[in-house]
């Protein structure tokens, strides 16, 4: 027996959405990736960074990603000292737990939401408390004074797609004695976000990712916005070269091309709203979505049956065995063409 820590020996490990090896032969709607390519400026920036012979790769990248902090700070209206760049927002979620929750201390999150928080807590040896949702999608029984070191609030929620209102998030922030991490992986598709709360409350952190709205899941890029004291703490913990050269080049180009970005988000939202309406017409039960996906249950509330039917047709969506979620499917929003094909398949499956 190798001398592992007990919590590592007993944990299962996170299972990400399936990435099929023959990816091009699927309509892939299972991990909320963007169906459009990133901005053409991204390709130019990566090519320029690489140069003819890749000589730039000999040297380490900028350790602080300072230029990117400035670009992101400008974009969201914060001084760069309020911004940290991450190798995917997963990295910054991990570092938040390491910074704020010692072994045996509690972190909280809503169930259902992003299950990776539980994995990160297990690695750290932190305790987990989950909060369920009421029928009208508020947090059930949230304490007047929540003592957990961190509360993760995924908004818009994945897999359900609804967003908490900024007013509600503010009330939650006031009730948290520890940090409130607002995971805004899908905020770019939503009508609201919680950026104002970071200015107002010192315990609020916002995390964002370039994986979904900027179509850069393959580059691993995320960021967090918080008070400089929080950012300084996270800076001590991260890998010192957490963003590689090509990722830094891609990130700057993507954040600067706001016109392309906005058009991409507009198309996805329009397709989402059209697709949601079509599913309702055939009796599907849907929560109105603020993300780039919908959570939808067929009339017989048998998510697995429809998942299997779509799988046979080489359409990959996300099915969760959790009893709270097994009635439905999470379907990422692809191009209009992909969603027309998917709708046709769903009608065939019946
Ligand atoms: C996709 C996702 C992430 C992870 O983003 P990366 O930047 O790809 O690591 C974090 N939180 C939620 C809720 C997500 O859906």
């Amino acid at each position: 027996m190798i001398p592992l820590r007990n919590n590592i020996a007993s944990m299962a490990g996170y299972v990400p959405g399936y990435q099929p090896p023959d990816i091009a032969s699927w309509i892939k709607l299972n991990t909320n990736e963007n169906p459009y390519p990133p901005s053409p400026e991204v390709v130019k920036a990566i090519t320029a960074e690489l140069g003819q012979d890749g000589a730039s790769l000999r040297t380490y990248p900028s350790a602080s990603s300072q230029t990117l902090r400035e670009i992101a700070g400008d974009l969201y209206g914060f001084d760069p000292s309020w911004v940290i760049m991450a190798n995917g927002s997963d990295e910054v979620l991990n570092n938040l737990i390491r910074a704020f929750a010692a072994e045996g201390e509690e972190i909280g999150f809503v169930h259902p939401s992003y299950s990776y928080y539980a994995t990160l807590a297990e690695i750290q040896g932190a305790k987990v408390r989950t909060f369920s949702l009421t029928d009208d999608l508020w947090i059930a029984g949230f304490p007047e004074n929540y003592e957990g070191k961190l509360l993760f609030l995924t908004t818009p929620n994945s897999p359900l797609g609804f967003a908490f209102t900024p007013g509600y998030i503010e009330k939650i922030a006031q009730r948290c004695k520890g940090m409130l991490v607002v995971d805004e992986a899908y905020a770019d598709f939503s009508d609201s976000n919680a950026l104002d709360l970071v200015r107002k409350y010192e315990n609020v952190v916002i995390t964002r990712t370039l994986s979904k709205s900027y179509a850069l899941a393959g580059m691993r890029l995320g960021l967090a916005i918080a008070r400089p004291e929080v950012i300084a703490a996270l800076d001590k913990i991260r890998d010192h070269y957490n963003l590689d050269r090509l990722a830094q080049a891609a990130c700057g180009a993507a954040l600067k091309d706001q016109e392309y970005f906005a058009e991409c988000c507009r198309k996805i939202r329009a397709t989402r709203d059209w697709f949601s309406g079509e599913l309702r017409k055939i009796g599907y039960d849907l929560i109105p979505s603020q993300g780039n996906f919908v959570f939808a249950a067929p009339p017989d509330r048998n998510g697995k049956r429809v998942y299997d039917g779509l799988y046979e047709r080489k359409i990959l969506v996300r099915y969760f065995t959790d009893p709270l979620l097994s009635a439905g499917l999470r379907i990422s929003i692809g191009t209009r063409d992909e969603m027309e094909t998917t709708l046709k398949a769903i009608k065939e499956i019946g």
Side-chain angles (χ1 to χ4, degrees):
M1 285 276 277
I2 53 168
L4 276 177
R5 290 168 63 208
N6 289 335
N7 51 328
I8 305 299
S10 65
M11 69 182 274
Y14 182 73
V15 184
Y18 181 52
Q19 299 290 118
D22 55 338
I23 207 162
S25 64
W26 290 81
I27 295 183
K28 191 173 178 303
L29 308 175
N30 68 330
T31 49
N32 297 343
E33 289 143 330
N34 200 307
Y36 302 106
S39 156
E41 297 302 319
V42 167
V43 179
K44 282 190 217 156
I46 292 174
T47 312
E49 180 63 34
L50 206 46
Q52 279 295 317
D53 57 359
S56 70
L57 300 182
R58 289 180 310 104
T59 56
Y60 287 107
S62 158
S64 65
S65 306
Q66 183 59 26
T67 312
L68 296 177
R69 293 181 189 207
E70 285 162 17
I71 295 170
D74 272 357
L75 181 61
Y76 300 116
F78 289 88
D79 185 83
S81 61
W82 290 59
V83 182
I84 189 167
M85 305 307 300
N87 183 8
S89 69
D90 285 345
E91 185 206 11
V92 86
L93 297 172
N94 184 8
N95 289 339
L96 281 161
I97 295 198
R98 292 162 80 195
F100 288 99
E103 202 163 335
E105 291 183 327
E106 181 178 304
I107 68 138
F109 56 89
V110 170
H111 179 72
S113 74
Y114 190 34
S115 60
Y116 189 50
Y117 311 131
T119 306
L120 292 173
E122 278 184 294
I123 296 169
Q124 181 72 350
K127 279 196 304 201
V128 161
R129 175 159 170 197
T130 56
F131 294 95
S132 52
L133 292 165
T134 64
D135 287 343
D136 34 14
L137 304 174
W138 305 114
I139 303 174
F142 194 71
E144 213 46 63
N145 273 304
Y146 179 56
E147 309 257 359
K149 296 293 169 180
L150 288 156
L151 179 77
F152 291 94
L153 213 58
T154 319
T155 181
N157 177 283
S158 171
L160 297 178
F162 73 92
F164 293 114
T165 64
Y168 185 70
I169 300 167
E170 179 160 12
K171 287 201 188 104
I172 297 291
Q174 291 165 348
R175 289 174 171 210
C176 283
K177 298 187 86 173
M179 301 297 291
L180 172 63
V181 180
V182 188
D183 183 340
E184 292 198 331
Y186 301 101
D188 292 323
F189 304 105
S190 172
D191 299 331
S192 63
N193 64 60
L195 285 173
D196 282 344
L197 297 182
V198 181
R199 294 187 191 90
K200 217 165 148 187
Y201 295 93
E202 63 180 17
N203 66 334
V204 174
V205 181
I206 291 199
T207 62
R208 294 279 180 102
T209 173
L210 280 81
S211 294
K212 281 90 185 212
S213 53
Y214 287 91
L216 286 171
M219 289 307 291
R220 311 306 302 125
L221 286 163
L223 60 99
I225 302 171
R227 295 274 158 130
E229 309 87 90
V230 176
I231 298 300
L234 293 171
D235 243 340
K236 291 191 219 170
I237 300 172
R238 68 179 171 84
D239 285 355
H240 32 267
Y241 301 114
N242 60 339
L243 268 67
D244 67 59
R245 277 186 177 278
L246 302 185
Q248 292 195 31
C251 186
L255 292 178
K256 281 193 219 152
D257 195 352
Q258 283 298 305
E259 203 176 316
Y260 179 90
F261 162 79
E263 177 57 12
C264 236
C265 293
R266 189 198 61 74
K267 283 190 287 197
I268 291 167
R269 288 167 54 124
T271 307
R272 171 193 74 197
D273 295 343
W274 166 80
F275 185 69
S276 302
E278 293 300 307
L279 285 182
R280 279 201 194 89
K281 280 187 207 160
I282 56 170
Y284 271 61
D285 189 15
L286 261 88
I287 297 172
S289 174
Q290 296 278 309
N292 63 337
F293 56 89
V294 296
F295 191 84
D300 69 353
R301 306 195 71 76
N302 186 345
K304 183 67 168 51
R305 184 183 62 81
V306 181
Y307 173 87
D308 288 340
L310 289 171
Y311 191 92
E312 278 166 27
R313 292 165 176 81
K314 303 223 84 169
I315 299 171
L316 199 55
V317 300
R318 194 78 184 258
Y319 168 72
F320 301 90
T321 51
D322 185 312
L324 279 178
L325 301 169
S326 61
L329 299 170
R330 192 190 67 187
I331 307 175
S332 308
I333 300 300
T335 60
R336 172 75 185 223
D337 264 8
E338 289 174 324
M339 299 324 282
E340 281 177 9
T341 306
T342 303
L343 181 67
K344 203 166 140 249
I346 288 174
K347 286 179 177 168
E348 267 170 36
I349 294 161

